């Protein structure tokens, strides 16, 4: 028997029954639900919860959350990988801003840099480089354009939509590949900026100073968020493309030398291998945009036509890249046969070659070179902005840390890499960056088959993402609505259901672990594609057995072998995964 003085002090005992907290009254010997708890006890429980919250918020996450709110008042985007709901989206006017973004980002020096290697590194003539590089680049634009169609319908970042392919855990590997890709391009852009300033100043401004300028200017814009990014990119597009047009004019007095390249000493197999390697390199210039293209369409209405998004991205990346790509081939073809330009390239890299093109205009030519640095900044802005989301996707811990913090981390990483590798520009560009195109090729073919085959003909097998009882309830509601025409109808809800049925994804489940796929099929197919990379790649550190058949340096066909291996395996294993797990 409990003494009165004891149970008057603790008259309610708390214990847990499954997931619900139950209170037991020792005086009346009965259980009481939370609804019948005395006010004093309820207040005590609320105070305990408030204290636990305060302890949590006193830690690092609380400080970051507080700082994010302060920065949000300044216009800094504090949202992370969260889905943008339809009612927070913009209008079709965003098409103009995104068009300006692609003009500025893809019509810049980062796109031009790879085209220089056709004549200078792979020893191709101007015509051979044109055919190889432009076809490869155009195919890459198709890949990037298709990936962009996931943005408006989902309201999610590109790597978040990849959860519907690779699942909660395996998508982290894909996100890591995306991080490496965009930061790799940021390193290239920063080094080129340093070379340009060094060239026009006769080495009075060292390369590392230019790297710092490009890096910090890029970070300053990227940290503010997507609306500011779209505006700045639009403003940068006009002066950058105008300056490239001036470079066409300034360097035109040497264009009679572009057909003087003689590669007749190369064997036919070696020439084929070089052609294939340059083809793959130019493909990777534009295809790697596929890892982030959807990020810049998340503010579009969810009923935006996929054809409009596809065509905007296709021509938005194709035309500017074509414009600067041909210019890069002209400059590099001249540099092969014209020794002064060749010496500048060997001394100051791409920056020296640009200065050579503008050199006959003296001071105004130096001003034009400085203007072109804006194209490097605009490209790095996009890279820094999107890399932060891929880091947030890597773990729950990282997702709690605001995007602006990871933008700082990304900036520090590629700044250090650029400073360390500033004297190895051609090595980085020719050997490392083509590897980025390998994984995006596999991701593209998996996404294409998922949409074309399974989301179109086997949607009934997604029982976790679209529960059967939910589908029946929706059908019953629709039937009742048709029968009783007088009943009030939520037109917005019906429109949302129609759009969801058209897209064949339940985007509301983007962070539901129990509804998302396990990713076994996509991961297995991805690993099979890696086998294609191993046998088909031709890099300085490894030449695969199939790639060796194309001359001394080999021919890089890893993009296409990896895409083929993954594309053949995925439909079979995906069907088995859906049949076994229903997701």
């Amino acid at each position: 028997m409990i003494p009165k003085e004891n149970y008057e002090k603790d008259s309610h005992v708390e214990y847990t029954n499954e997931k619900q907290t139950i209170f037991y009254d020792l005086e009346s010997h009965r259980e009481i639900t939370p609804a019948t708890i005395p006010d004093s006890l309820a207040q005590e429980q609320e105070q305990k919860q408030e204290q636990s919250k305060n302890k949590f918020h006193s830690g690092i996450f609380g400080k970051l959350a507080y700082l994010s709110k302060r920065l949000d008042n300044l216009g800094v985007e504090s949202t992370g990988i969260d889905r943008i709901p339809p009612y927070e989206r913009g209008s079709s006017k965003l098409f103009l801003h995104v068009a300006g973004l692609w003009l500025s980002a893809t019509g810049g020096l980062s796109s031009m840099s790879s085209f220089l290697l056709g004549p200078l590194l792979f020893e191709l003539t101007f015509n051979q480089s044109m055919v190889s590089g432009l076809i490869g680049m155009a195919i890459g634009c198709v890949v990037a354009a298709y990936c962009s169609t996931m943005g408006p319908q989902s309201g999610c970042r590109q790597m978040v939509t990849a959860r519907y392919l690779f699942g909660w855990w395996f998508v982290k590997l894909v996100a890591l590949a995306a991080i490496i890709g965009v930061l790799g391009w940021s390193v290239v852009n920063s080094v080129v900026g340093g070379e340009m300033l060094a060239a026009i100043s006769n080495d009075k401004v060292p390369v590392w100073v230019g790297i710092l300028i490009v890096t910090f200017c890029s970070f300053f814009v990227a940290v503010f968020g997507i609306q500011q990014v779209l505006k700045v990119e639009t403003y940068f597009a006009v002066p950058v493309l105008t300056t490239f047009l001036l470079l066409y004019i300034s360097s035109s007095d040497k264009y009679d030398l572009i057909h003087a390249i003689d590669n007749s000493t190369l064997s036919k197999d070696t020439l084929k291998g070089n052609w294939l390697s340059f083809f793959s390199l130019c493909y990777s210039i534009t295809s790697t945009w596929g890892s982030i293209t959807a990020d810049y369409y998340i503010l579009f209405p969810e009923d935006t036509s996929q054809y409009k998004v596809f065509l905007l991205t296709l021509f938005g990346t194709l035309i500017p890249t074509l414009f600067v790509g041909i210019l890069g081939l002209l400059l590099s073809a001249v540099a092969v046969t014209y020794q002064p330009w060749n010496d500048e390239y060997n001394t100051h890299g791409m920056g020296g070659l640009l200065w050579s093109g503008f050199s006959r205009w003296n001071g105004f030519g130096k001003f034009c070179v400085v203007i072109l640095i804006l194209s490097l900044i605009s490209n790095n802005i996009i890279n820094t902005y999107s890399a932060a989301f891929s880091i947030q996707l890597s773990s729950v811990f990282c997702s709690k840390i605001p995007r602006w913090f990871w933008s700082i981390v990304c900036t520090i990483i590629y700044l250090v890499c650029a400073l360390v590798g500033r004297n190895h520009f051609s090595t980085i560009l020719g050997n490392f960056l083509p590897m980025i195109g390998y994984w995006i090729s596999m991701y593209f073919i998996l996404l294409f088959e998922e949409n074309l085959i399974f989301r179109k003909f086997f949607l009934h097998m997604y029982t976790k993402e679209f529960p059967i009882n939910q589908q029946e309830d929706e059908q019953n509601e629709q039937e009742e609505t048709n029968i009783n025409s007088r009943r009030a109808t939520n037109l917005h809800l019906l429109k949302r259901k129609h759009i969801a049925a058209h897209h064949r994804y339940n985007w509301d489940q983007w962070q539901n672990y129990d509804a998302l796929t396990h990713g076994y099929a996509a991961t297995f197919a991805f690993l099979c594609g890696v086998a294609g990379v191993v046998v088909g790649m031709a890099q300085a550190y490894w030449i695969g057995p199939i790639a060796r058949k194309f001359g001394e340096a080999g021919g890089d066909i890893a993009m296409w072998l990896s895409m083929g291996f993954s594309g053949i395996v995925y439909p079979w294993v995906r069907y088995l995964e859906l049949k076994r797990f229903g997701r």
Side-chain angles (χ1 to χ4, degrees):
M1 186 172 180
I2 301 177
K4 183 175 181 180
E5 60 270 19
N6 289 343
Y7 69 74
E8 281 181 349
K9 183 177 180 180
D10 299 312
S11 59
H12 298 88
V13 178
E14 178 183 350
Y15 69 96
T16 302
N17 180 12
E18 297 178 346
K19 294 184 179 179
Q20 183 179 6
T21 301
I22 306 297
F23 294 88
Y24 188 81
D25 191 340
L26 296 178
E27 290 185 348
S28 60
H29 301 285
R30 65 185 179 86
E31 294 181 349
I32 55 177
T33 63
T36 60
I37 299 174
D39 292 339
S40 60
L41 186 59
Q43 293 176 357
E44 183 180 347
Q45 294 296 322
E46 291 178 359
Q47 291 176 357
K48 290 181 179 179
Q49 293 177 359
E50 190 66 26
Q51 290 176 358
S52 63
K53 289 181 179 179
N54 291 335
K55 290 181 180 179
F56 174 80
H57 288 294
S58 63
I60 183 173
F61 293 122
K63 294 178 181 178
L64 288 173
Y66 173 76
L67 185 57
S68 293
K69 290 181 180 179
R70 296 296 299 271
L71 291 173
D72 192 42
N73 294 332
L74 299 175
V76 176
E77 182 183 79
S78 58
T79 57
I81 59 174
D82 295 342
R83 179 178 183 243
I84 305 297
Y87 54 83
E88 293 184 5
R89 312 261 185 101
S91 64
S92 58
K93 294 181 181 179
L94 290 170
F95 270 98
L96 294 177
H97 286 296
V98 175
L101 179 143
W102 295 130
L103 283 174
S104 179
T106 63
L109 295 175
S110 55
S111 299
M112 178 195 285
S113 60
S114 296
F115 283 94
L116 299 180
L117 301 184
L120 290 170
L121 181 64
F122 294 104
E123 301 180 81
L124 300 176
T125 65
F126 176 76
N127 291 338
Q128 291 167 347
S129 300
M130 281 274 288
V131 175
S132 175
L134 297 185
I135 294 177
M137 178 271 294
I139 296 175
C141 291
V142 174
V143 171
Y146 185 81
C147 294
S148 69
T149 60
M150 303 298 289
Q153 60 174 292
S154 67
C156 297
R157 319 288 174 175
Q158 189 79 60
M159 289 297 98
V160 175
T161 64
R163 282 180 173 176
Y164 288 79
L165 277 176
F166 292 91
W168 186 274
W169 297 107
F170 295 115
V171 74
K172 303 178 190 302
L173 299 176
V174 182
L176 177 62
I179 294 170
I180 295 174
V182 295
L183 292 186
W185 278 113
S186 296
V187 171
V188 171
N189 296 333
S190 301
V191 173
V192 171
E195 291 177 343
M196 291 168 66
L197 290 180
I200 63 176
S201 65
N202 294 323
D203 292 320
K204 293 179 181 179
V205 178
V207 174
W208 64 266
V209 173
I211 292 175
L212 290 176
I213 293 174
V214 173
T215 300
F216 287 117
C217 291
S218 304
F219 165 75
F220 181 74
V221 177
V223 75
F224 274 90
I226 186 169
Q227 294 186 4
Q228 285 70 26
V229 168
L230 291 175
K231 290 179 181 179
V232 171
E233 295 287 344
T234 304
Y235 298 149
F236 279 3
V238 175
V240 167
L241 293 177
T242 301
T243 306
F244 277 120
L245 181 60
L246 293 175
L247 182 54
Y248 266 105
I249 299 172
S250 176
S251 58
S252 60
D253 61 326
K254 299 293 189 299
Y255 289 169
D256 57 318
L257 302 175
I258 62 175
H259 296 296
I261 301 176
D262 182 15
N263 58 6
S264 59
T265 57
L266 295 178
S267 65
K268 291 184 178 180
D269 289 340
T270 300
L271 189 60
K272 290 179 181 177
N274 292 353
W275 194 96
L276 289 171
S277 295
F278 185 61
F279 182 89
S280 298
L281 176 62
C282 293
Y283 162 82
S284 68
I285 296 173
T286 49
S287 66
T288 48
W289 287 111
S291 64
I292 61 175
T293 46
D295 294 10
Y296 302 96
Y297 293 96
I298 59 174
L299 296 180
F300 280 56
E302 64 177 340
D303 59 347
T304 303
S305 171
Q306 293 188 22
Y307 291 104
K308 291 182 180 179
V309 175
F310 177 86
L311 293 176
L312 174 60
T313 311
L314 176 63
F315 291 107
T317 54
L318 175 64
I319 295 175
T321 308
L322 179 68
F323 181 70
V324 298
I326 295 176
L327 178 58
L329 291 175
L330 289 170
L331 296 177
S332 58
V334 172
V336 172
T337 56
Y338 186 59
Q339 195 60 40
W341 284 24
N342 192 278
D343 293 339
E344 275 291 334
Y345 178 77
N346 293 330
T347 304
H348 297 114
M350 183 178 180
L353 192 55
L354 292 171
W355 167 233
S356 297
F358 278 122
S359 58
R360 66 170 175 154
W361 287 355
N362 301 318
F364 180 70
K366 292 182 178 181
F367 173 75
C368 292
V369 173
V370 174
I371 293 297
L372 289 180
I373 295 178
L374 294 177
S375 71
L376 301 173
I377 295 173
S378 66
N379 194 272
N380 272 15
I381 288 171
I382 295 178
N383 294 336
T384 307
Y385 176 77
S386 293
F389 295 114
S390 296
I391 295 178
Q392 285 186 315
L393 196 63
S394 62
S395 71
V396 176
F397 172 81
C398 293
S399 66
K400 294 180 180 179
I401 299 177
R403 179 197 61 81
W404 58 263
F405 177 83
W406 291 121
S407 294
I408 296 175
V409 173
C410 292
T411 302
I412 294 174
I413 292 174
Y414 77 73
L415 172 61
V416 173
C417 292
L419 292 173
V420 173
R422 63 184 183 273
N423 297 322
H424 306 283
F425 172 72
S426 294
T427 303
I428 296 173
L429 194 62
N431 296 328
F432 170 71
L433 290 180
M435 294 182 62
I436 304 171
Y438 301 154
W439 83 265
I440 197 66
S441 300
M442 294 181 279
Y443 168 71
F444 161 73
I445 195 63
L446 298 180
L447 178 64
F448 182 75
E449 291 182 339
E450 174 75 10
N451 290 336
L452 185 66
I453 300 175
F454 296 99
R455 294 285 172 172
K456 187 173 183 179
F457 299 106
F458 297 93
L459 194 63
H460 61 280
M461 300 181 70
Y462 293 81
T463 57
K464 300 294 184 181
E465 186 177 334
F466 299 97
I468 297 177
N469 55 355
Q470 178 182 348
Q471 295 176 0
E472 292 177 351
D473 292 341
E474 291 180 356
Q475 291 177 358
N476 293 335
E477 290 178 3
Q478 185 66 32
E479 291 176 359
E480 292 177 1
T481 303
N482 294 335
I483 294 174
N484 189 1
S485 59
R486 296 181 180 179
R487 182 179 301 176
T489 303
N490 188 334
L491 296 178
H492 178 69
L493 181 61
L494 293 177
K495 181 181 178 182
R496 287 289 314 283
K497 290 180 179 180
H498 171 73
I499 294 172
H502 176 69
H503 292 149
R504 298 178 178 272
Y505 281 90
N506 188 353
W507 296 114
D508 292 330
Q509 305 294 333
W510 71 273
Q511 59 178 349
N512 185 352
Y513 175 82
D514 296 325
L516 292 171
T517 177
H518 288 298
Y520 298 144
T523 304
F524 179 74
F526 193 88
L527 294 176
C528 292
V530 172
V533 171
V534 172
V535 299
M537 68 185 295
Q539 303 297 335
Y541 40 83
W542 172 257
I543 301 178
I546 298 179
R548 287 196 195 102
K549 298 183 180 298
F550 299 97
E552 299 176 358
D556 197 330
I557 56 174
M559 315 279 188
W560 324 112
L561 289 180
S562 62
M563 189 184 296
F565 285 14
S566 298
I568 292 173
V569 171
Y570 183 69
W572 305 99
V573 293
R574 181 57 172 154
Y575 180 80
L576 294 176
E577 183 183 31
L578 282 174
K579 189 174 182 180
R580 173 67 177 82
F581 300 105
R583 53 176 171 159

